[in-house]
Amino acid sequence: MKKTVIVIMGPTAVGKTRLSIDIAKQFNGEIISGDSMQVYKGMDIGTAKITEDEMQGVTHHMIDIKNPDEAFSVADFQYYVQKYIDEITSRGKLPIIAGGSGLYIQAALFDYNFSEQKRNDAFTTRLEQILDEDGAMALYQRLKDIDPEQAAKIHPNNHRRVIRALEVYETTGMTMTAYQQKQSKRSPYNLLLIGLDMERELLYKQINHRVDVMLENGLVEEVKYLYRQGFEDCQSMKAIGYKELIPYLKGEQQLKDSVELLKRNSRRYAKRQYTWFKNKMDITWYQVKPETINEKFSTIFADLAGLLKKK
């Protein structure tokens, strides 16, 4: 018997967290955070990490398991997600994955094999030298020449992912794009994939409002603390919500400009998320609006109840 897993996907700020809580309460579930940045301790406001009150007693996993200076790869994400699915199922509960980037979710649910991607320390050292001597754009341009599709998914300043994609090409002879396309199209799980969507203009308003609330709740102070702890160059600080505020903390940019960049990057990320999910996974989509969200959630509960009976 395949283990049943509910997965709630969609762009940022669309209502996935609230839906996951309601589903967990209704169907005896536990939640696995699909957000690879919520694994980091002390990164609460910028990642929109759920609070204890918001959990409403529902058990959550994959939150606060790493320090900000620790790496966390797609393979790590896959390991933890699969581990928690097994543990939750063994307790007679229903695993529910909420949120996350398309690649990470797909890698975990379709059991991507990362074992072929051996590291070549000498090659990695050469890439790091290029980064130091010629800058991030020189390295990023190399990836664009080799694998433009993968380069389009990675920010030029995300050095770790740029180097990793170049390593895959060096060690396997395949681009990261080709490697991902080669992976299994079948999942070892019985997946119930739910997608929340919202009209673009309304979603962008929600995103902008969310950023304003984060700032009111102390986002600048959170980033300042992490910056002063020496985490500026860590993988965790490359996340949206953190990297945009570093120039302000360094006195290189006005706060209003950093905030506007944060909102723009958040909107663009939402658009990329939506495109990925639409193109890569077979998801049942539900259009939501703030004023009708309760009614829409009731429809989702009814649909899930029918699907779960068949499993």
Side-chain angles (χ1 to χ4, degrees):
M1 286 284 290
K2 284 186 174 183
K3 298 178 178 72
T4 295
V5 181
I6 294 176
V7 189
I8 304 168
M9 292 172 283
T12 186
V14 77
K16 300 184 296 293
T17 298
R18 178 184 163 188
L19 177 60
S20 68
I21 293 289
D22 289 353
I23 290 175
K25 290 168 69 176
Q26 184 135 340
F27 296 99
N28 191 30
E30 294 183 14
I31 295 170
I32 302 170
S33 169
D35 188 322
S36 62
M37 298 310 300
Q38 292 187 357
V39 301
Y40 290 112
K41 300 171 186 174
M43 303 185 76
D44 304 332
I45 300 170
T47 65
K49 193 179 292 178
I50 190 169
T51 66
E52 190 168 343
D53 285 345
E54 289 169 338
M55 290 180 186
Q56 299 180 43
V58 174
T59 301
H60 280 66
H61 305 274
M62 292 267 285
I63 294 175
D64 292 339
I65 61 173
K66 293 284 182 180
N67 293 317
D69 58 349
E70 293 183 271
F72 192 71
S73 68
V74 181
D76 294 329
F77 180 86
Q78 179 194 65
Y79 165 78
Y80 280 104
V81 167
Q82 294 179 352
K83 169 179 175 284
Y84 288 127
I85 288 173
D86 289 345
E87 291 178 1
I88 293 167
T89 304
S90 72
R91 292 192 288 272
K93 301 266 192 163
L94 181 63
I96 302 161
I97 301 175
S101 75
L103 172 61
Y104 277 61
I105 294 293
Q106 198 170 31
L109 297 179
F110 290 84
D111 203 22
Y112 279 17
N113 177 16
F114 295 97
S115 61
E116 296 173 32
Q117 299 184 27
K118 305 299 182 185
R119 289 196 175 276
N120 181 327
D121 291 338
F123 180 69
T124 302
T125 299
R126 290 203 304 275
L127 293 179
E128 290 172 346
Q129 286 174 345
I130 293 171
L131 179 63
D132 291 338
E133 295 170 7
D134 302 327
M137 287 309 300
L139 209 60
Y140 186 70
Q141 186 59 52
R142 179 178 288 208
L143 179 59
K144 282 181 70 176
D145 293 341
I146 291 170
D147 188 358
E149 186 174 340
Q150 188 67 23
K153 302 174 186 175
I154 303 174
H155 191 280
N157 291 334
N158 194 332
H159 310 147
R160 183 187 61 86
R161 285 190 64 193
V162 171
I163 288 174
R164 192 67 184 123
L166 290 169
E167 282 179 341
V168 170
Y169 181 71
E170 170 73 11
T171 55
T172 68
M174 285 190 294
T175 64
M176 181 70 92
T177 298
Y179 185 83
Q180 290 170 0
Q181 290 172 346
K182 182 186 173 188
Q183 298 289 350
S184 173
K185 297 294 188 287
R186 293 187 179 183
S187 175
Y189 305 110
N190 170 36
L191 299 176
L192 301 179
L193 307 178
I194 299 168
L196 295 184
D197 189 22
M198 187 177 285
E199 189 271 324
R200 292 302 88 154
E201 187 175 341
L202 181 56
L203 177 64
Y204 291 164
K205 286 181 180 177
Q206 295 271 100
I207 290 171
N208 290 340
H209 175 67
R210 171 183 273 196
V211 171
D212 290 337
V213 170
M214 286 178 173
L215 291 164
E216 291 171 9
N217 290 340
L219 178 59
V220 174
E221 289 72 22
E222 178 173 278
V223 180
K224 185 184 294 184
Y225 174 79
L226 294 164
Y227 173 70
R228 288 178 173 173
Q229 293 296 307
F231 297 134
E232 177 187 356
D233 295 324
C234 295
Q235 171 193 341
S236 59
M237 292 290 277
K238 306 304 179 188
I240 295 173
Y242 295 88
K243 64 177 186 249
E244 292 85 1
L245 293 174
I246 296 296
Y248 163 68
L249 296 177
K250 288 182 168 182
E252 299 169 355
Q253 191 166 274
Q254 295 293 316
L255 179 58
K256 64 180 179 61
D257 296 324
S258 293
V259 170
E260 191 51 48
L261 182 62
L262 170 52
K263 289 180 176 179
R264 188 196 73 182
N265 287 346
S266 298
R267 294 191 300 266
R268 288 181 176 178
Y269 178 60
K271 184 177 179 181
R272 291 197 303 273
Q273 282 181 302
Y274 184 72
T275 300
W276 174 283
F277 292 133
K278 282 285 187 179
N279 293 336
K280 301 284 187 180
M281 304 182 80
D282 185 17
I283 299 169
T284 301
W285 289 95
Y286 296 86
Q287 190 85 9
V288 295
K289 296 179 181 178
E291 62 270 22
T292 60
I293 199 163
N294 290 333
E295 179 183 330
K296 188 64 67 172
F297 280 11
S298 294
T299 300
I300 293 172
F301 299 152
D303 291 349
L304 274 178
L307 290 170
L308 289 168
K309 280 182 182 178
K310 297 176 182 177
K311 304 305 177 186

